Amino acid sequence: MYGKMHSACLYGIEGVMIGVEIDLANGLPQTHIIGLPDSAIREAVERVRAAVKNCGYRYPQQRVTVNLAPADLRKEGTAFDLAIALGILTTSGQLVMPAAEKMLLIGELALDGSLRPVTGVLPMVEAARRSGFGAVLVPRGNAAEAALISGMAVYAAGHLQELPPPESAGSDAQPVIPAMPACGFEQPLPFPVAVIDGPGTPARDKPPVIARTLEHLRYVPQYDIPGFTPSAEALMREDYSDVIGQSHVKRALTIAASGMHNIVLIGPPGTGKTMLIKRLSGILPPLNDSESLEVTKIFSAAGKLTDTRSGLLRGRPFRSPHHTISAAGLIGGGSIPKPGEVSLAHRGILFLDELPEFSRNVLEVLRQPLEDTVVTISRARAAFTFPARFLLACSMNPCSCGYLGNSGNQQRCTCSPAKIAQYRSRISGPLLDRIDMQVDVPRPPEWSGQAPSRSTAEMRDDVMRAQQLQAERYSKLPISWNSELSGAALRHYAALNKESSVLLHGILESLGLSMRAHDRIIKLARTIADLDGEASISSAHLAEAVQYRNLDRKVLAEESF
């Protein structure tokens, strides 16, 4: 006897459809799972056996072979439990699922038959929709996540015994034959079915009847968007108006957010570097529909999608890993690689506080994703690619003690020139070359009496206006921001006039900048021109872009901080 169900697994952050084939043959009672399963899948034999028996069904006393196809793709996780269990029950004639060919089955089984949620449901359901499936059966804890994919009928169960619908009142020995809405079966089936009335009861043939559909398990999403009272919301919101002074830093952050340019803030302790960057996500526009689905899939695959009541993720991700993070934690990895922090920050912000405190080999792995906007992790059997298109925001002190540049009655720096050079050498030149903006954050001369500064709403308006210009400009290109320009597109959309070209050439010679820095200065100037509403790049835009390259100078005097 042969049967087949459909399930799915993760391949990187994408879902892959898996056929769960069941074969029952005469022989010694034993169960084998083949198709490159991991340990968790091989242990499904005992979970399924116990769940089937504890729900009143009969586990076949035959040779059971379970094949996960395609067999050359390594699989992991516990999402196949439900498909294996229902495959065995339907193949042995204890259940009939006429719509099994168009239904995705995902879920982990407990020994008593209850269904437990699994990770990565969103990309799996999306893969099923692309493959033409119309329905999915998941644990109740995954129903809200599965319902985020439109066009799929979602059925949610908490226990294996919920799948057969309740018998009609007064019926005598109704067979357990749940029917799916997509199948359209309403007439008796033309063949007998083995029916088990209860544990220990021998099987007997009964005329098959479709009792009911699975409508009693249909999940209807009801998004609960949490909110605050106006007064509480005002108290909880972090606003740039809270930051005293630092108008030039706010200008730099507005430019960085408008073109998604990488930025590092440099200054003594307590000048507001962390405070400024933590508010950066507040001036970024929300994710559009395609970006939202892309980001939500990454969080689902990483097992970090904890609240789906408000639908797809709409806010830009903001990730701030501790400086003790490993290279695998930052970039992604594992025997079967999972996305790291750079992928979790996709379409958002990756904040590295106290940049020189991170291990040098950890920082060096950022060089490739900053250029390519993807991370490729190769293993013996496969290569996995994760998206990593993020804004890198960093903060650092000017020296190891942190007080270089203080004057007057302020605390003075005690670091020698050699110690300062050693501290800054923790950040390599190639990595620094990929950071568009290097901005000083000095201590304000007076903390009191400062004029009211720009608010988050004002800065956000400027950012959204500049990004709207970029969206219109690049509507026919596969890019969204000025920072993504390269090659012919850079020369076309960010062309310099003769005066600006001469100015930039002189700056390159005097500061000893690389050609990568040359291109990044032009892209930064293009964003500044967009903020000013100018169609072309002027010398003033170029000069402002150059002044944000403080750490690129050949000689850094103490007064520059």
Side-chain angles (χ1 to χ4, degrees), residues 240-388:
Y240 270 113
S241 60
D242 302 330
V243 182
I244 299 175
Q246 309 296 7
S247 297
H248 72 290
V249 184
K250 292 184 180 181
R251 165 72 174 177
L253 290 170
T254 303
I255 296 170
S258 298
M260 296 299 282
H261 299 284
N262 303 324
I263 186 171
V264 57
L265 301 185
I266 312 153
T271 55
K273 302 185 297 296
T274 302
M275 186 179 185
L276 284 159
I277 292 180
K278 283 189 173 180
R279 285 158 170 73
L280 185 57
S281 59
I283 64 176
L284 290 173
L287 298 166
N288 59 37
D289 291 341
S290 61
E291 292 174 339
S292 182
L293 178 59
E294 192 177 10
V295 170
T296 309
K297 282 171 55 179
I298 295 173
F299 275 76
S300 176
K304 298 183 180 297
L305 190 61
T306 56
D307 185 9
T308 54
R309 293 175 300 170
S310 57
L312 295 173
L313 299 178
R314 292 293 178 180
R316 301 274 173 181
F318 185 92
R319 305 295 299 180
S320 180
H322 192 260
H323 65 262
T324 57
I325 191 172
S326 65
L330 185 64
I331 212 72
S335 57
I336 298 182
K338 295 293 184 182
E341 290 293 332
V342 297
S343 296
L344 293 171
H346 180 61
R347 300 288 181 181
I349 300 168
L350 177 64
F351 177 36
L352 302 184
D353 200 8
E354 302 298 339
L355 183 64
E357 299 302 325
F358 285 79
S359 172
R360 185 181 178 106
N361 69 306
V362 171
L363 293 178
E364 290 306 297
V365 301
L366 287 173
R367 289 160 57 177
Q368 183 263 339
L370 285 175
E371 286 291 325
D372 300 340
T373 68
V374 295
V375 173
T376 301
I377 302 175
S378 298
R379 292 293 182 263
R381 290 186 176 272
F384 299 83
T385 300
F386 303 115

Side-chain angles (χ1 to χ4, degrees), residues 251 258 462 465-467 469-470 473 482 525-538 541:
R251 165 72 174 177
S258 298
D462 291 343
R465 185 170 57 253
Q467 290 207 358
L469 290 175
Q470 296 170 66
R473 183 187 302 132
N482 290 328
R526 176 67 269 174
T527 301
I528 296 172
D530 288 340
L531 280 171
D532 292 344
E534 299 290 341
S536 59
I537 300 173
S538 67
H541 301 143

